[in-house]
Amino acid sequence: MSTVDQKLVKRQRFEHVFSQIVEELLEFLKTQKMPEEASTWFKRNLEYNTPGGKLNRGLSVVDTVEILLCTDEHGQKTRELTESEYVQAAVLGWCVELLQAYFLVADDMMDASITRRGHPCWYRVDGVGNIAINDAFMLEAAIYHLLKTHFKSESYYGHLLELFHDVTFQTELGQLIDLITAPEDVVDLSKFSPEKHRLIVVYKTAFYSFYLPVALAMRMCHVNDEAAFKHAQDILIPLGEYFQIQDDYLDCYGAPEVIGKIGTDILDNKCSWNINVALSHATPEQRKVLDENYGKKDAQCEQRVKDVFNAENIDLPAKFATYERESYDRIHSLINAVPESFGVKRAVFLSFFDKVYKRTK
């Protein structure tokens, strides 16, 4: 079986668990005597917002559990996950995807975004509108129902709850910094800085997208050494930072039909990597252009900003290529420094890195 076929089979098996999760959640609504239209709406909310992306976060939980439980110290496969192990890992993976869906539904409303994953944002679907606010809350609430149903009897149940609560709070802190640093209606580029951008990136993206999937898998595999979690975080947070800078770059330079959305960071006055690099290299004349055009809901203003990004003295594509090479070396050095006696194998981190390095969407 080719690598592409293997990935397809892996995704299909994972998606099958999602179908079971949807039925499980709808069955709960029945026990609460919810009307049929409420169940139909919730099902549509779940299916529209949760499974349509790359599923890297959720699949990474399964991949990490598999590496921890089913490979030897040389990385050789020793066994397959049992069906119950697989289902537990997949449920945790879908809980991460539900968290992602919750954040995106809310984030798209805050940013007045147009498309997500190649489709209209949920709040823009006919008949949804502000109901999407409650729909976002329901996506989050589903996480805790699933954790209680599938893990309440496990010794690490409390750790799972703590992880989701802590990471949700961290992500919302990152979103808060993002929103108050760069409100759409008040453009003040003097508020931007590489340091503030890093804070937004780490809290808004890195914790839930990179640390959370691995930490959940470690808890499921009964890794209890707190030093192991700290070491994992020290690798995964820089990896998450690299991922978000990729995302910032692709928002401007990625093809919408490939990345599945229309980039709006310039229009939305986002404190992105792109604008921070441009500000640090701009001439006074270029800075004036950025001040006058950044964050304006106007295609011509957006193009003027992009022209500055592409100017010879700034050349964002070249600077991103340099950043990507340097990130590869830095992150691999962190992974190679993981001691052999460490509770999590290097393959866990290499697996994560391989999924995101030089991605185009």
Side-chain angles (χ1 to χ4, degrees), residues 181-183 185-192 269 279 287 291 294:
T181 298
D185 55 344
V186 181
V187 180
D188 182 0
L189 299 185
S190 67
K191 286 186 172 183
F192 293 3
N269 188 37
L279 288 170
R287 174 60 187 257
D291 282 330
Y294 198 77

Side-chain angles (χ1 to χ4, degrees), residues 242 318 320-330 357-358:
Y242 162 68
F320 178 74
T322 300
Y323 169 80
E324 192 158 51
R325 286 194 303 273
E326 291 172 350
S327 295
Y328 180 91
D329 293 339
R330 180 168 55 95
Y357 184 61
K358 290 206 168 181

Side-chain angles (χ1 to χ4, degrees), residues 14 17 21 86-96 146 150-151:
F14 188 59
V17 175
I21 283 172
Y86 179 83
V87 170
Q88 281 195 314
V91 168
L92 286 177
W94 280 113
C95 285
V96 178
L146 292 169
H150 290 269
F151 298 96

